[in-house]
Amino acid sequence: MSDVEKINLVSIDVLKTKIIGIDNVKLLEEIVGVHSEIDPAFIDDKHHTYYEDRKYPFGMIESEKLIDKLTERVSAAIGRDMVLSDIWTLSLEFGQSVSAHSHKSNTHLHPEEYFSIAYYPSAPDGSADLIFLVNAANTIENSIEIKPETGDLIIFNSYLMHMTNRHGNREEARVVVSANFAPKTPNVKPTQDWSAYSRSSESENGGYDKFYCLKVHTPFGKEDVNLGIKGSVAEVFNSTGKYFIDSFTDTSTLFEASFSVDTPAIADIVIRFSVDEENGDVVGFAKIGQFAEYAIVGHLS
């Protein structure tokens, strides 16, 4: 029907290409020659088995060459500069397989920017397929099988669940180099920007229109008290808590307010101080009840 418009909601692609210029025989020799153990601290992590994985042969000619070619190829395929985060190898013998997993991390603020790869220096006949599991709206499920060949490079979003079926070659192992790539300049903007509703924090005083740092001279010593003004509300806070004042007088040279607190008994408090317009110095008093009156000094921050 020509009057019907098709609107795509989800588009997820897996890219398949080749790496040229790598001697896979030498690369396999370097991979097989590495027998370093995974740090036991990682083995104890129940989020990952590390069962099939082996450390990458860093510092060897073909292996280092492959890192450069992978970075170049992935960046070109994605269309932006990508950097290698992690790289390792995995070998499957006859009958072995890899369970379903993804490479997604909670550090991926925008998951669509992060990619993983599988490069096959050895994918003999009967090799296990790479299987992607796709889920939409927790309802529509699909699986896509890719039959790897030696020299293939598969690029996919790190959040995609993937696995293999069983490796079917009795003579040769299926060897893959796996890696994660991150954007060189990742997007750090929030996925939903609620900052339009946030309290302004442009001021170094936490968004207060005015902020006074005061010292009250009590019989027990000097007590630090702060007073901040936000619009039509003043807030007084010290070591015992915060108190709101909704009726006060505030000018460039004078602050005056009266309010009641309940800590633990109800007390009426009057605060009055003058402000030097030139240097912001404050001088005044705080009166609690009918008899207790304490001097106040401080400054306008």
Side-chain angles (χ1 to χ4, degrees):
M1 299 174 63
S2 60
D3 60 341
V4 176
E5 180 183 1
K6 183 178 179 181
I7 301 173
N8 180 267
L9 296 182
V10 178
S11 179
I12 302 173
D13 295 319
V14 173
L15 307 178
K16 182 178 180 181
T17 184
K18 292 281 188 180
I19 291 288
I20 306 300
I22 291 294
D23 187 331
N24 287 308
V25 174
K26 290 183 179 179
L27 179 62
L28 280 173
E29 291 175 354
E30 294 174 359
I31 290 172
V32 172
V34 171
H35 299 286
S36 56
E37 298 292 331
I38 297 291
D39 188 319
F42 290 93
I43 301 297
D44 293 338
D45 180 4
K46 304 307 179 186
H47 296 91
H48 199 308
T49 64
Y50 294 95
Y51 178 74
E52 309 93 346
D53 301 339
R54 305 174 77 170
K55 284 192 173 182
Y56 191 76
F58 294 108
M60 298 186 178
I61 293 177
E62 218 61 32
S63 298
E64 292 295 334
K65 189 190 298 183
L66 178 63
I67 289 177
D68 290 343
K69 287 188 174 292
L70 286 175
T71 304
E72 178 183 342
R73 200 75 180 96
V74 171
S75 297
I78 302 306
R80 65 188 298 184
D81 289 337
M82 304 293 286
V83 294
L84 178 71
S85 299
D86 326 278
I87 188 168
W88 64 99
T89 69
L90 182 150
S91 298
L92 292 182
E93 303 292 342
F94 175 74
Q96 293 181 334
S97 62
V98 178
S99 60
H101 66 287
S102 78
H103 298 183
K104 183 181 177 181
S105 169
N106 61 353
T107 61
H108 298 173
L109 182 59
H110 291 266
E112 71 279 2
E113 294 188 319
Y114 295 81
F115 289 84
S116 299
I117 66 96
Y119 174 70
Y120 297 88
S122 176
D125 291 340
S127 282
D129 298 329
L130 175 59
I131 304 172
F132 288 97
L133 307 175
V134 183
N135 181 295
N138 293 321
T139 303
I140 302 171
E141 297 181 355
N142 194 14
S143 62
I144 305 296
E145 299 178 359
I146 296 177
K147 295 188 179 297
E149 296 178 356
T150 298
D152 278 354
L153 171 64
I154 311 298
I155 305 171
F156 55 95
N157 287 106
S158 298
Y159 61 76
L160 284 176
M161 292 292 292
H162 54 285
M163 57 181 284
T164 74
N165 49 20
R166 294 188 184 278
H167 181 57
N169 190 304
R170 295 178 178 273
E171 306 298 328
E172 296 181 69
R174 172 189 184 271
V175 181
V176 62
V177 173
S178 296
N180 297 324
F181 284 85
K184 187 175 183 179
T185 53
N187 182 2
V188 295
K189 292 182 179 180
T191 54
Q192 294 190 65
D193 189 355
W194 295 93
S195 61
Y197 306 105
S198 65
R199 171 173 282 172
S200 172
S201 58
E202 294 178 359
S203 167
E204 62 180 7
N205 298 318
Y208 289 102
D209 302 326
K210 282 186 176 180
F211 192 82
Y212 295 96
C213 298
L214 308 174
K215 288 188 180 296
V216 180
H217 294 254
T218 75
F220 309 103
K222 297 179 182 179
E223 180 180 350
D224 291 326
V225 177
N226 294 315
L227 189 152
I229 300 174
K230 295 177 180 176
S232 61
V233 176
E235 300 173 2
V236 178
F237 43 100
N238 59 9
S239 58
T240 63
K242 179 188 288 189
Y243 311 97
F244 294 93
I245 307 171
D246 57 9
S247 180
F248 58 91
T249 299
D250 177 56
T251 69
S252 60
T253 59
L254 175 70
F255 179 88
E256 187 173 18
S258 59
F259 58 101
S260 297
V261 298
D262 186 4
T263 55
I266 297 176
D268 295 324
I269 298 177
V270 175
I271 296 177
R272 190 179 193 279
F273 56 78
S274 58
V275 184
D276 189 311
E277 287 189 282
E278 292 187 3
N279 56 29
D281 286 347
V282 167
V283 177
F285 66 87
K287 187 175 181 180
I288 302 176
Q290 295 295 318
F291 307 105
E293 184 173 312
Y294 307 124
I296 291 178
V297 295
H299 65 277
L300 174 64
S301 179

